[in-house]
Structure formats: structure tokens, C-alpha cells
Amino acid sequence: MTWPMEGLHAAIIAASKDPIYFCTPDYIIREANEPYVAIGGLTREQAIGRTVQEVAGPGAFPRRAPYLESALSGRVAVLQDWVMVPGQGRRFFDVRYQPVHDAAGRLLGVAAYGRDITDLKMAEQVLRLYESAVTQMSDRLSVVDRNYRYILTNESNARWHGSTAESFRGRSVVEVVGEERFAAEIQPWLDRCLAGETVEYDFQDLAPDGAPVVMDARLQPFRNGDGEIEAAVVTLRDVTETRRLSERLERLALQDDLTGIANRRSFETGLERRVAAYRKGGDGFSVVFIDLDGFKLVNDTAGHGAGDRFLQDIARLLRQSAGEGVEVARIGGDEFGLIIDTGETVAAHAICSRLLSAFEGYRLAWEDMQFRSSASIGIASVESEDDDATRQAVTVGRVLQWADFACMQAKAAGGHRIVAHDRAEKTGDDRKVEIHHLLAVERAIAENGFLLHAMTIVDLASGAPAMQEVLPRVATGNGDLHGPSMIRATAERHGLMRAVDRLVLNAVLARLEAGDTDGLPIAVDLSAETLHSPVFACQIIGRLERAPGVSQSLVFEVSEAALARMKPEAWNLMADLRAIGCRIALDHFGRGVAGFTQLRANAFDLIKIDRLLTAGLAGDPVKRAAVSGVVGLAEALSLPTVAEYVNEPLHLDILKGLGVTYAQGRAVSRPAAWS
């Protein structure tokens, strides 16, 4: 992501000779100018998207980390340090780490403004002998003694006051700025500095031409050879445009560039506030996901210009039609989100019905074409009547997952409809079971407490083991052991699948990297949520590239049901995994979700036939015909097949006769602890 800038603000950063960058709380650089990236020998394009650690380097970053952490805790931090600058040698920088907050006061990141004060550093060391060096500095610099009189000032400060530097010597600060302003705005800071503290603050002022400006004041104690404080070194700098840039960054951080409405960061920040208040007993609310139907047709037919116009018009429709008490945001390419001030599904449904009607009346006329609009809408509501245990189980991730799942259901049903998540329809006992399962999964994630079992998959032609599938299990509080079905259902509903996948896959990779297996390929599930994670993609590809031979032992299973919601980034990751030697299996095939086009796209290496077709195979000729059809399709694509949930020994010969390649299930082997 490139941090957006426009107009004057872009020119300010680009023209500045001082280094400037902005990073998020996870230290990722979102904006930087050439003076900053040049210190690390990089270009701006190379630096943006990297971490501060990577750009600063292992030698310099540990010295900067405490100051970044201080700023991330909400306090302005100032660091002075020597830095090697290519072509300039060692330079002394004064760096201000400024917290950047949104309108609600939530921290967005840190803006770091560097200032080369090598001249000032040298001047402080030899102040009495080289006053002329100080007077040439562009910043307004003065030295004020303990009686609040100027020992010296430089030409820049003298010109600001319409005077000469020589005329300031011995002059009282009170005389220059006025008694009232001195007592209220200046003396308290000078007293702190003269007591031994380095202080920095901003204040409003008027430039000589009458224009309002923001000045940054920095006061440092000046000590004599005996270590006694004789004066305060006062540096004043015009930071008007820098502060305006900071405000601009705050606004841009929460606004979608294309549509002008709130972006995903703003949406999730607002949702975090709602959830926190709700868990403390606040009112219920609803979250809505809106996925535009047929948007790809606009882009593919009329181009991205038409697509952008379409999205802008939809955003305007949402603002106009949603009404009061509704926060509107763009949360993805053609996805929008709402936060509604009601936990009543009926009321939220009424608002969404109004939006759907507005979509129906909209037409995009582009050149000689006209496009209609429609949407798949998912609603997730949390009610004010929920008891405390249910409230505490509500998190941002779970609410987002509920809304996303409902939206996917609307999409899968043909679109142009509204689906409400059915959480509110569960009975009290159902909710208790749900919470019981949720706590078990959360505890397993927190304590890395998943128990791994393995099932052998055999070659039906030879009867020899061909691979193993590793499955997670979790123990609940009453001692019950639950398998992957419960874990997957619970984790998907509550947005925990990435954490589950990460722990299971880390355990599998550790065993493979250590050579602690029997040599059979290992199959492991990957959820759609994990496949869409750019962080996971970077980590898994990097780890496999560093472990030669491991890729060839991995089979990643992707459920057929996940295909309906997979976006290009997921397909790209699957292709990247196959390119380094992994195999991809299409799991649970036969439920009617995967399309022939997706199979022909050469994205898979195996097809696993779902138990919907394999269970009761001996007495059901229709199922045998269906399995035979899947085998024929797989053979046409040169793909082997795996029959899942083969629990009857007599089914093994039937499947072999139908041409199925492999089989797994209790008729082959029961799951056993993976050791």
C-alpha cells in the first residue's frame, strides 16, 4: 500500500531536505521522503511497505526503538543521534517522534520528523568561540541567561523581530515579547529548562507579515565547564506545513481515496469502540457487509474508469439512503460495510431493504452502455438483551465473520438479497454449547494446545500407504475430545481460522524440517481466510524456500466450499505454493460448489471425493454413478482421486473398481496420535 498524498502536502515532503517518514503501530513505513530513504541507501519505492527495522538496519534500530515505543504509547519523543549519511559522512540529527491520532483519539501511527542539527551540535560545544556559526543557522536560535536576558541570538531570529542580532545582546526577553505573554507562555518553559530539563512544545504565533504560524520550540540547558547551568539554548522552528501534513495524514488514514467515505481502518476502529461498549453493558448494534453483484462485469466490459465511477456512485447512494445512526465505509474492492445503531435484526433489515431498493433504481450510463446495480447483503446483529456471558464472547473478529458469512450466503443464493446471520435464532442451550466450544478453541490457540492426529491414505491398487492427513483435535473443559469439524465450524464463525491454521501448520513444518516423519507426504487443511492473508503468504513461501525438500512433502487441502469466496490473491498463493513443489488438493468435492472452469484452471493436483458421495456407496447406485462421473472428470484432467470417509471395508473394492486412486477412512485406518 502506498500512503496517499496530494497537492501541496506531497510537495512539502518531496521538497524537504530533512528526513520524514510515517509508520503504523507495527512499524510498517507508509510514507517517506527521499532524504530519509537515502540514509539507508534505498529509493522511496523500496522503503515504503518495509519495516523501520529493515530500513534503519540492525545497528541503528535498537537505539530508535524506545523512542518509537514512547510515541506509540501517546507521548512525543525526541532523539538526538549521529547518523552516517551517504556522501555526507556522520551527521547529527534531532528526530521528533510524533503520535498521529484520529478524530476519536485512537493512535494511527508515528510521524518521525528528522532535522540535521550537526551545526547546532558543534555550535553548542564551542559556543563561546564560534558565535558566528550559530548566527548563520536557518532556525531561530537564541541563548537566554538565568535572568531571562539574551546572551546572543542569530540573524534569523533577529529578522523575525525586525532587528539585528547585535541589538539583542543583553536585551530582556520580556521587552521583546511583552510581559503578559512572557509570564503566561514563555517563563514556565524557561524555568523548567534552567532547572535542567530539555523541553519541547508547539505554540501559535504570527509571522512578520501577519500570517498565523505554528512554531516548534526546543529548550536545552547550557552548562559551563563545571557542569553548572548558565543559560537555555532556545531553538524555534516554523512547523506550520509539517503540522498541516500531520492533520492531512490523520484524515487520509481514515478515508477511502476513491469514494471519499470511511475506509476499512476507520470501519474497524468504529466497530472496536462499539464492541468495547457493548461488552461493558452498552446498547446492541448491527454490522452489515455489502458485496456488489456483477461489478466485475463493469470493469471487464467498460474498463476501470467506469468501475471507479460505479463505486463512487454506490458510495453516494449509501450515504444518502442509509439514514441517521449508520456509519458507511468501503472495506474492499467492491465491498462496503455499515455499522447500524440497533441490535434488532428487523430494524437493520429494513435499512438494508431501503438500500437494495436504491440500488435497483440506479443505472450507470457509460459511453453506449448501461449497467444496473445490485448487491448481496449480510447482516450480523448483537442484541441489548444478551446476558453477560454472551456479551463477553462478542469480539470484533467474530462480528465481522458473522456479517461476512451472511453476505457469502446471500451471494451463494444468487445475490440481490439480504441474509441475516442466524446467531439470534439459537436456543439458550445452543448458545451455551457454542460458548463452551469457543472457549475450548480459544484456550487451545492461546496455549498451543491442539492435539494432532493423523489418518493414513492408501493406494487402492497396491494397498500401500500413500500419504497422511494431519487433523487437529481439542479437549473441552469436561474432558471431551473434539475433532476438526467442531474446530472448523467454531473457528470460522468467530474469525479464528487463521490462528488455527497457523498453529497446526507450524507443528507440521517443524516435524518435516526436523526430518521427524516416516517419509510419507503430509496433507493439511488451509482455510479461505488463511489463503487471503498476505502475511501468511509471505511467511509460508519464505519458510518453504529456506527448507529444501519440505515443499515436496506437503499437500494443502482447500475445501470446495471455499472456492465461492476466493479472490485472486488466494488463487495466486496456491499457484506460488505449487511452483515451489507443494501439491493442492480440492477437498470435499461433490457438494456442488466447484465449477468446471475452476477445475480446468490447472489449480489442483488431487480431487478428494466428499462423504456425501462415498457414504452408503454399496447400496446406492446413484452414488456409485456420481463417483464414477467424478473419476471420469478427474481422469480427463489427469488428476488422481481420493475417496474420503471410507468406513466400510467392502467399499474399498467398489471404489477400486470405479477407478478411484486413493482412500481414507476407518476402513483404512483410524486417526491416531501423530508421533
Side-chain angles (χ1 to χ4, degrees):
M1 166 183 174
T2 300
W3 200 261
M5 298 189 305
E6 298 174 2
L8 179 60
H9 304 286
I12 293 169
I13 288 185
S16 176
K17 296 180 180 179
D18 293 323
I20 302 173
Y21 74 86
F22 174 85
C23 72
T24 55
D26 52 359
Y27 291 165
I28 294 177
I29 295 172
R30 295 303 188 193
E31 189 48 77
N33 66 355
E34 293 298 333
Y36 171 70
V37 300
I39 293 174
L42 302 173
T43 65
R44 178 175 172 274
E45 290 72 18
Q46 291 171 331
I48 291 177
R50 292 191 179 186
T51 64
V52 179
Q53 297 99 309
E54 293 175 307
V55 175
F61 180 73
R63 297 196 298 275
R64 286 140 175 75
Y67 298 88
L68 275 168
E69 288 296 326
S70 178
L72 288 171
S73 67
R75 300 186 301 274
V76 174
V78 178
L79 165 68
Q80 291 188 347
D81 200 5
W82 290 98
V83 178
M84 285 298 300
V85 179
Q88 300 182 43
R90 295 177 75 245
R91 305 295 295 174
F92 195 75
F93 281 89
D94 179 282
V95 185
R96 176 189 176 96
Y97 297 89
Q98 172 74 43
V100 178
H101 298 86
D102 62 15
R106 294 185 63 86
L107 184 71
L108 300 177
V110 175
Y113 308 99
R115 179 172 53 179
D116 186 341
I117 60 168
T118 308
D119 292 342
L120 176 58
K121 180 68 175 178
M122 302 305 295
E124 288 175 353
Q125 295 174 352
V126 293
L127 184 60
R128 288 182 176 84
L129 297 177
Y130 300 101
E131 290 185 3
S132 60
V134 176
T135 62
Q136 299 303 312
M137 296 178 63
S138 59
D139 289 342
R140 296 165 55 194
L141 185 141
S142 303
V143 181
V144 178
D145 67 16
R146 301 189 70 86
N147 295 315
Y148 312 127
R149 292 185 176 276
Y150 289 98
I151 297 176
L152 65 85
T153 197
N154 66 354
E155 291 295 337
S156 179
N157 189 55
R159 286 194 300 271
W160 183 276
H161 293 284
S163 186
T164 63
E166 183 62 31
S167 68
F168 264 76
R169 190 183 300 272
R171 195 175 178 186
S172 169
V173 177
V174 177
E175 179 187 345
V176 175
V177 302
E179 186 173 347
E180 182 177 349
R181 183 180 178 191
F182 175 78
E185 301 179 23
I186 298 175
Q187 185 178 0
W189 298 103
L190 278 171
D191 288 345
R192 287 174 58 179
C193 179
L194 293 169
E197 183 180 353
T198 297
V199 295
E200 185 168 5
Y201 64 97
D202 289 352
F203 65 93
Q204 304 289 329
D205 203 358
L206 293 176
D209 61 1
V213 293
V214 179
M215 301 298 298
D216 173 77
R218 180 175 174 81
L219 286 68
Q220 292 180 280
F222 179 78
R223 302 177 185 271
N224 60 22
D226 297 325
E228 299 172 342
I229 298 175
E230 287 188 348
V233 179
V234 181
T235 308
L236 304 178
R237 191 177 200 192
D238 185 346
V239 294
T240 307
E241 293 304 329
T242 301
R243 295 297 178 267
R244 287 176 182 170
L245 173 61
S246 180
E247 293 171 0
R248 171 88 174 152
L249 287 172
E250 290 179 15
R251 183 175 66 83
L252 291 175
L254 298 174
Q255 179 178 299
D256 178 60
D257 293 335
L258 177 64
T259 63
I261 62 176
N263 62 12
R264 188 180 187 100
R265 179 189 290 272
S266 177
F267 179 77
E268 292 184 351
T269 298
L271 183 56
E272 287 172 0
R273 292 195 299 269
R274 298 297 186 95
V275 169
Y278 177 75
R279 288 164 65 98
K280 294 178 181 178
D283 293 335
F285 59 92
S286 297
V287 172
V288 175
F289 272 16
I290 301 172
D291 191 333
L292 301 182
D293 299 332
F295 173 71
K296 189 174 185 296
L297 177 65
V298 180
N299 264 347
D300 292 348
T301 305
H304 291 286
D308 289 350
R309 171 67 178 278
F310 190 85
L311 293 173
Q312 291 167 343
D313 288 350
I314 291 298
R316 185 173 62 254
L317 275 178
L318 287 172
R319 281 197 303 258
Q320 294 172 348
S321 305
E324 296 183 0
V326 180
E327 297 179 24
V328 181
R330 182 185 176 207
I331 58 178
D334 61 343
E335 298 174 343
F336 294 83
L338 310 177
I339 302 176
I340 304 176
D341 285 338
T342 178
E344 297 179 4
T345 303
V346 173
H349 198 287
I351 293 173
C352 292
S353 295
R354 186 166 68 239
L355 294 175
L356 207 55
S357 296
F359 290 159
E360 290 174 352
Y362 169 74
R363 301 289 185 276
L364 171 67
W366 190 266
E367 297 177 348
D368 58 345
M369 297 172 285
Q370 191 174 79
F371 299 93
R372 297 169 176 264
S373 71
S374 184
S376 302
I377 301 178
I379 304 173
S381 298
V382 291
E383 302 175 354
S384 300
E385 292 76 17
D386 282 341
D387 57 33
D388 187 62
T390 304
R391 285 175 178 266
Q392 297 312 310
V394 171
T395 66
V396 171
R398 286 166 200 153
V399 176
L400 291 174
Q401 182 72 16
W402 295 336
D404 188 33
F405 184 70
C407 185
M408 286 190 295
Q409 287 181 304
K411 197 85 169 176
H416 190 61
R417 68 193 64 220
I418 302 166
V419 172
H421 180 64
D422 66 356
R423 170 182 175 272
E425 298 174 6
K426 292 182 178 179
T427 65
D429 288 341
D430 289 336
R431 291 191 184 186
K432 290 179 182 178
V433 171
E434 173 79 6
I435 293 171
H436 185 67
H437 288 170
L438 173 61
L439 293 176
V441 173
E442 287 185 328
R443 184 167 54 250
I445 291 172
E447 301 172 0
N448 195 10
F450 289 110
L451 307 173
L452 299 185
H453 286 65
M455 288 190 73
T456 299
I457 300 172
V458 299
D459 186 321
L460 284 172
S462 65
M467 67 185 79
Q468 288 183 312
E469 180 177 1
V470 172
L471 305 167
R473 296 183 181 274
V474 64
T476 58
N478 59 12
D480 292 340
L481 196 63
H482 289 273
S485 296
M486 184 280 276
I487 295 171
R488 186 181 301 110
T490 302
E492 284 182 346
R493 281 195 294 272
H494 299 283
L496 300 174
M497 273 310 303
R498 290 182 186 176
V500 174
D501 287 348
R502 173 175 52 81
L503 291 172
V504 174
L505 184 55
N506 279 344
V508 170
L509 289 175
R511 292 277 296 273
L512 288 172
E513 289 164 349
D516 185 20
T517 65
D518 57 11
L520 290 176
I522 303 299
V524 61
D525 282 347
L526 279 187
S527 66
E529 290 78 5
T530 299
L531 286 168
H532 285 92
S533 167
V535 174
F536 171 80
C538 180
Q539 290 175 342
I540 186 62
I541 295 297
R543 185 167 180 178
L544 291 175
E545 287 178 340
R546 293 190 298 271
V550 170
S551 299
Q552 287 72 23
S553 298
L554 273 174
V555 180
F556 289 113
E557 298 189 1
V558 180
S559 172
E560 183 190 46
L563 301 188
R565 46 188 169 129
M566 277 175 50
K567 297 179 181 177
E569 54 264 37
W571 292 103
N572 291 340
L573 174 57
M574 287 165 54
D576 291 342
L577 289 170
R578 295 182 75 211
I580 60 175
C582 300
R583 285 180 286 172
I584 306 294
L586 178 58
D587 198 12
H588 302 304
F589 183 74
R591 297 188 179 185
V593 178
F596 181 61
T597 302
Q598 292 168 316
L599 288 176
R600 290 199 64 181
N602 191 30
F604 301 99
D605 300 284
L606 299 96
I607 295 179
K608 300 192 73 175
I609 306 172
D610 188 69
R611 61 177 160 186
L612 183 69
L613 301 181
T614 60
L617 190 67
D620 193 331
V622 175
K623 287 187 176 181
R624 291 198 298 274
V627 170
S628 179
V630 173
V631 171
L633 173 62
E635 289 177 346
L637 298 169
S638 299
L639 298 179
T641 50
V642 182
E644 300 184 283
Y645 299 94
V646 182
N647 297 329
E648 300 294 334
L650 63 91
H651 288 172
L652 294 174
D653 287 336
I654 296 174
L655 291 166
K656 180 179 177 181
L658 292 173
V660 176
T661 317
Y662 305 107
Q664 71 180 104
R666 289 200 299 270
V668 174
S669 71
R670 291 179 177 272
W674 192 43
S675 60

